[in-house]
Amino acid sequence: MQYVLTYLYCRLDSKLWARYKNHVKWRRLLWMGVVLLIAGAVAYWYRKEQLERGQDAAIQAAAQRYGVESALIKAVIWRESKFNPQARGRAGEIGLMQLREDAAQEWADAERVGGFEHEHCIDARTNILAGTWYLKKLLKRYQLTDNPVPYALADYNAGRGNVLKWISGAGATNSAAFMEQIAFPGTKEYVQSILQHREKYGLILRLSLN
């Protein structure tokens, strides 16, 4: 009733009527903006979910082939490329797991892949297989520690030479001490973020199996 009275009153006054129409116009624009914002957020979330799930079959295949936890592989892919198979790094890294040419060639030689070229790592399945094989190699390198994962991830990011500088004292076998001794803030954040997403993806996997 109040809305009707306001409408009728404004109709009797031309200035008030103009202000009323302007108010209604801006309210409509505001609601349209809110609707577009919500639609954009939903579209972004849907695309993100599709990207994250799009490589699950290839990840599971690589995990089974090389004996690496699928949640860890997926977390590395998230951190390295945000699931973009076309991603390229400044140092020549390619694809989902951002493989360098030497690491990719190691995989190809070990698996006797004929005619292999680094550009083949743009293919998602090839990239995940090669990247998982290389990650497995790094995990084996630190198998005498209490938890080889942080060591392997630091190696994946900063290289073997730097890891050797950070494994003095207790850090040689204790992963918590090793984490404290990582001298590069970027590498420490890299390892921590992957470990967090590994937990996230592992929980999702466990819930999907129940």
Side-chain angles (χ1 to χ4, degrees):
M1 184 65 179
Q2 184 178 1
Y3 176 82
V4 174
L5 291 174
T6 301
Y7 173 79
L8 293 174
Y9 179 74
C10 290
R11 287 288 288 177
L12 296 175
D13 189 303
S14 58
K15 290 184 178 180
L16 283 176
W17 176 242
R19 290 172 61 184
Y20 174 78
K21 289 196 298 181
N22 189 54
H23 174 72
V24 171
K25 172 187 175 182
W26 280 108
R27 284 187 64 183
R28 287 175 178 170
L29 289 174
L30 178 62
W31 278 110
M32 287 177 62
V34 170
V35 170
L36 289 173
L37 184 63
I38 293 173
V42 170
Y44 172 80
W45 177 85
Y46 177 77
R47 181 176 180 275
K48 180 174 177 288
E49 287 294 304
Q50 290 297 105
L51 280 173
E52 288 198 357
R53 295 178 182 178
Q55 306 299 338
D56 281 358
I59 290 171
Q60 190 59 36
Q64 292 177 351
R65 181 165 182 171
Y66 297 118
V68 178
E69 181 186 355
S70 58
L72 177 59
I73 301 169
K74 192 166 185 175
V76 170
I77 293 173
W78 165 82
R79 186 62 174 78
E80 289 287 348
S81 67
K82 296 299 187 290
F83 299 92
N84 175 14
Q86 303 296 321
R88 291 179 181 271
R90 289 176 294 181
E93 307 93 338
I94 288 181
L96 291 170
M97 298 185 75
Q98 289 293 275
L99 288 173
R100 299 186 307 274
E101 186 172 5
D102 56 347
Q105 191 62 54
E106 278 190 64
W107 165 77
D109 292 342
E111 296 288 35
R112 299 179 181 178
V113 179
F116 178 78
E117 296 179 8
H118 191 208
E119 282 296 318
H120 294 166
C121 288
I122 287 296
D123 175 74
R125 289 184 178 275
T126 300
N127 193 287
I128 293 172
L129 283 172
T132 301
W133 178 90
Y134 186 69
L135 185 58
K136 178 67 173 182
K137 173 187 173 181
L138 300 185
L139 289 167
K140 285 182 177 179
R141 182 177 285 172
Y142 305 103
Q143 61 185 341
L144 296 180
T145 65
D146 66 335
N147 180 7
V149 174
Y151 295 88
L153 293 176
D155 195 325
Y156 199 100
N157 177 256
R160 170 72 164 166
N162 285 308
V163 171
L164 290 175
K165 299 175 185 177
W166 304 329
I167 58 175
S168 60
T173 55
N174 184 282
S175 57
F178 169 74
M179 286 290 293
E180 292 299 320
Q181 293 170 188
I182 295 177
F184 297 165
T187 298
K188 183 177 290 188
E189 186 276 330
Y190 173 91
V191 174
Q192 290 171 337
S193 66
I194 290 178
L195 293 176
Q196 290 169 359
H197 274 73
R198 174 197 185 192
E199 290 297 317
K200 169 191 168 182
Y201 292 132
L203 177 60
I204 293 172
L205 179 60
R206 289 192 294 274
L207 290 174
S208 67
L209 295 175
N210 292 335

